[in-house]
Amino acid sequence: MNQQERQAIEWECAKLIAHYANLVDASDWAAVAALYTEDAVFARPTSPDQPLVGREAILAAFRARPPRVTRHVCSNVVIEVDSADSATGVSAMVLYLADRPPLAGSFHDRFRRTPEGWRFAERRGSVVIGG
C-alpha cells in the first residue's frame, strides 16, 4: 500500500467519525446504524461495560432514547491503517447536552471496508470527565 492509499483510508475513517457525530446530533438513527457493520460492537461512553452487538441492536438502542438536544465535538483523531480493509482509530469527544453539564471522553474504533464503504466494526466509548 502506498502513502496516497494509506492517507485515503485515514481520511475516510476520520470522515466517518465526524459524520457519526453529526447524525447522532440530528437524531437520524437509521443513518447512524448504517455506519456500523452488520456484526458491529458498540459500547456507549456512558455504559462502556454494556456493549451492543449487531446493527439491529444498535439501532433499537438509539430509537429507545428519549428525545434530547445534543452536540458532539470530536477531535484529536488518529487513524492507524492495518491493511487495505482494516484500520483502528482513537478520538477525543465532548458531549454537550441541553440540560446537563458536558461530558468528555474518547472513542476507540475498529474500522472495516465493506461494499458500502468504511464502517465501524467496533466503537467503544469512555467518559473521563463528567458523568
Side-chain angles (χ1 to χ4, degrees):
M1 171 180 326
N2 65 39
Q3 184 67 16
Q4 186 176 11
E5 292 166 329
R6 184 175 298 281
Q7 288 175 331
I9 292 169
E10 291 169 355
W11 185 85
E12 288 291 337
C13 293
K15 181 180 168 187
L16 188 64
I17 290 169
H19 192 48
Y20 175 90
N22 290 337
L23 291 172
V24 170
D25 290 340
S27 301
D28 189 343
W29 306 135
V32 169
L35 298 180
Y36 286 91
T37 61
E38 288 290 339
D39 61 346
V41 174
F42 172 52
R44 288 183 170 153
T46 54
S47 52
D49 297 327
Q50 298 171 1
L52 303 165
V53 179
R55 185 185 288 167
E56 291 303 317
I58 294 166
L59 176 58
F62 275 112
R63 285 186 171 156
R65 290 172 105 165
R68 63 184 187 175
V69 176
T70 64
R71 178 63 65 202
H72 290 76
V73 179
C74 299
S75 66
N76 305 352
V77 178
V78 176
I79 306 298
E80 298 292 335
V81 178
D82 301 322
S83 71
D85 298 316
S86 175
T88 58
V90 64
S91 58
M93 174 273 306
V94 177
L95 170 59
Y96 295 96
L97 299 150
D99 58 348
R100 288 187 248 159
L103 302 173
S106 62
F107 279 106
H108 289 79
D109 300 312
R110 282 189 315 106
F111 306 96
R112 186 182 317 142
R113 186 191 311 260
T114 71
E116 294 78 34
W118 286 91
R119 297 292 184 262
F120 293 107
E122 184 175 338
R123 179 150 245 238
R124 293 191 177 269
S126 62
V127 174
V128 296
I129 300 172

